[in-house]
Structure formats: C-alpha cells, structure tokens
Amino acid sequence: MRNKKKISPIVGFILVLKIVIIGYLVYLLKGAIETNTINFDSTFFLFILAGFFAQLIDGALGMAYGVSCTTLLLSLGIPPKLASASVHTSEIFTTGVSGLSHIRFNNLDKKLFFKIVFTGVIGASLGAYLLADLLDGSLVKPYISFYLVFLGGYLVYKAIRKKSDAKPKTKYAPVLALFGGLLDAIGGGGWGPIVTSNLLSQGHNPRKTIGTVNTAEFFVTYFATVVFIFILGVQHLDIVLGLVIGGVISAPVGAYVASKVNPKLLMIMVGTLVVITSTWSLISLLLK
C-alpha cells in the first residue's frame, strides 16, 4: 500500500487563509458588478501585464513585486496609502501561489521560515496601521533606497569573489524580518529587497532564501492587508483584480526559475536588480 504524502502545516495554513480572502473578494466583486462600479477597460489589461511581470521577477529573484506595482500605481495618480493597500491585497493571491510553488520545488528552509515569519507579520501589521492612519510613507523612502543601493552592490561583490566556507548567520533574522515587514507596509514594497538581500549577504543559499522569503511573504502580506481593509476598506477593485490575474499566472513560473538557476548567477541578478530599482527610486524622488 502506498504511503500518502502528508500536507505540510504551512501549506494547510496558506490554503485556509486563501479560501477566506477569496470568499471575501468574490463577495466584493459581486457587489461591484451589480452596482457597475468596476471597469474592465484597456487600463485593466495594463494592470494584468504589470502583475504578470512583477510576480515573474519576484518569484525568480525574491523581490520587486511591491516596488514595481506601487511605482506604476503612483504614476497613475493613486495616493500612496491606497496604492500600498491595493498592492498588498493583490499580493495575498500572488504570494500564496508563489509560496506553494516554492514548497513544491523544495525551495523552503523551514528553520529560517519560522525565524522570520512571526516578526515579519508583526512589523507589517504595525507598518500598515501607521501608513493607513498616521504616517506619510514617502518620508522614509529615500533613506531605504539609499541603503539598498549599497546593499545590492555588496551582493554582486560577494557573488563574484572567492566563496567563503563561513556558516550562514541567522541570529538577527527575526529583527531583520520585523524591519522588512514594517518598511514593506509603509513603502508599498521592500520585504524582498530588505530581507532577501540581507540574508544572501550573510551567506544563505540563494534558492532556499528566495523560496523561504517568498513563502513567508504570504503571511506578512496577509496580515498587513487585514489592517488596511479594516481601516481603509477595499478600493480600486479593478486594479487589485488585474494584478491578481497577472501575478497568479506567472507565480509558478518564477518559482521554477528560482529552482533551476545557478546560485551564483541568481545572487548577481538579485544584487543588480536591487541597485537598479533603488537607484531609479532615488532619481524619481530627486526629480519631483
């Protein structure tokens, strides 16, 4: 008789939380369609494309979904707090599929996962509350971007230099996740660049790090979104739906890419992406 493969508790928890949020979104969509308050015009397809490419990069490299989508929404005149809320709502679906895909491709380090998920959730929930009710998220963005430019450069340097046999550090991973979750909610993105980049700089395996951070991101995003919904409600449902459709389609592809790409090349790609996105953010802020 064949042994049935048990469902991981992490997988089970992701599925339960996804069923709850899917039910809530279906309820909102039904109301929006009945009142004709949702638009499926050409801009809607732009949101689908944005979600597809942003999640493809995020699933493969462990970052940039929030940064890419938030930048697009801000350029279309969406206020920062509503842009962040829309991105986080869509990320519940994309990160859920991405996390399940990473688990399927054996990209998860369970020990590291439990070190970052709880403090990440606390930081993101606090950040969502501050942004939705008290704080202007644009105030801290220049400082985060400046820091990430140097961190990305260090990742590239570390990837091309001689490999060290030193054991990866996990001592400060919970604090790092707290900081990453907080800034992700406030800035509309940043969990991946901050957490993934720092863990890689400490010597962690790129494939496992990207898969673990992506899986933890589902929980971080979920609870931040609960706070946003509680305070702001769900607005711009067409944006959320477009980002969800594009992201869910590309999430398994990104996870598969992460499982196959050479770790050294993966680290160089992550570092380069961090430098490019952070530099672009700085330039955009200076040109305002």
Side-chain angles (χ1 to χ4, degrees):
M1 193 181 214
R2 276 186 176 177
N3 289 328
K4 289 187 178 180
K5 200 172 181 180
K6 289 184 178 179
I7 296 176
S8 160
I10 299 172
V11 172
F13 200 26
I14 289 174
L15 291 174
V16 169
L17 291 177
K18 281 182 74 67
I19 289 169
V20 172
I21 199 66
I22 287 171
Y24 182 64
L25 187 64
V26 168
Y27 167 75
L28 291 177
L29 275 172
K30 184 181 176 184
I33 292 170
E34 287 175 354
T35 56
N36 200 28
T37 55
I38 186 168
N39 297 314
F40 296 105
D41 53 16
S42 57
T43 309
F44 178 73
F45 293 100
L46 180 62
F47 296 140
I48 293 177
L49 286 174
F52 180 88
F53 288 110
Q55 184 55 47
L56 185 64
I57 296 168
D58 187 85
L61 302 183
M63 65 187 69
Y65 180 87
V67 173
S68 304
C69 292
T70 302
T71 301
L72 170 65
L73 297 183
L74 292 176
S75 70
L76 294 173
I78 307 297
K81 63 177 65 179
L82 295 182
S84 184
S86 297
V87 170
H88 278 83
T89 304
S90 68
E91 274 189 300
I92 289 178
F93 298 90
T94 57
T95 56
V97 176
S98 183
L100 293 173
S101 300
H102 278 296
I103 292 170
R104 167 66 181 81
F105 291 119
N106 195 31
N107 296 342
L108 183 72
D109 179 337
K110 287 186 179 179
K111 187 177 178 181
L112 180 60
F113 172 83
F114 287 111
K115 279 182 176 286
I116 64 175
V117 68
F118 297 110
T119 52
V121 166
I122 292 169
S125 301
L126 177 60
Y129 170 72
L130 291 173
L131 180 64
D133 211 35
L134 301 171
L135 188 67
D136 181 1
S138 62
L139 293 176
V140 294
K141 277 190 176 181
Y143 302 100
I144 301 170
S145 298
F146 191 71
Y147 161 71
L148 289 174
V149 169
F150 285 96
L151 183 59
Y154 177 69
L155 284 178
V156 175
Y157 161 74
K158 190 159 185 176
I160 61 178
R161 74 172 183 174
K162 189 176 179 181
K163 188 177 179 181
S164 172
D165 294 326
K167 190 178 178 182
K169 301 173 186 176
T170 57
K171 185 178 179 181
Y172 301 108
V175 177
L176 180 64
L178 178 71
F179 182 66
L182 179 70
L183 294 178
D184 183 79
I186 291 173
W191 168 259
I194 291 168
V195 181
T196 302
S197 300
N198 277 282
L199 289 174
L200 289 178
S201 73
Q202 293 172 7
H204 289 270
N205 176 277
R207 178 174 66 84
K208 291 281 189 179
T209 300
I210 289 169
T212 303
V213 173
N214 258 244
T215 304
E217 188 177 15
F218 167 75
F219 297 95
V220 170
T221 300
Y222 195 99
F223 288 98
T225 303
V226 168
V227 175
F228 277 126
I229 290 173
F230 182 76
I231 298 175
L232 299 174
V234 177
Q235 302 180 44
H236 297 288
L237 199 57
D238 51 339
I239 296 175
V240 173
L241 187 60
L243 296 178
V244 167
I245 292 171
V248 166
I249 292 170
S250 65
V253 182
Y256 176 78
V257 171
S259 71
K260 296 297 180 182
V261 177
N262 177 276
K264 183 176 178 180
L265 176 61
L266 204 56
M267 198 162 170
I268 292 172
M269 291 169 69
V270 170
T272 303
L273 182 64
V274 171
V275 171
I276 292 171
T277 54
S278 301
T279 302
W280 176 253
S281 296
L282 281 171
I283 291 171
S284 300
L285 289 166
L286 289 172
L287 292 176
K288 280 186 178 179

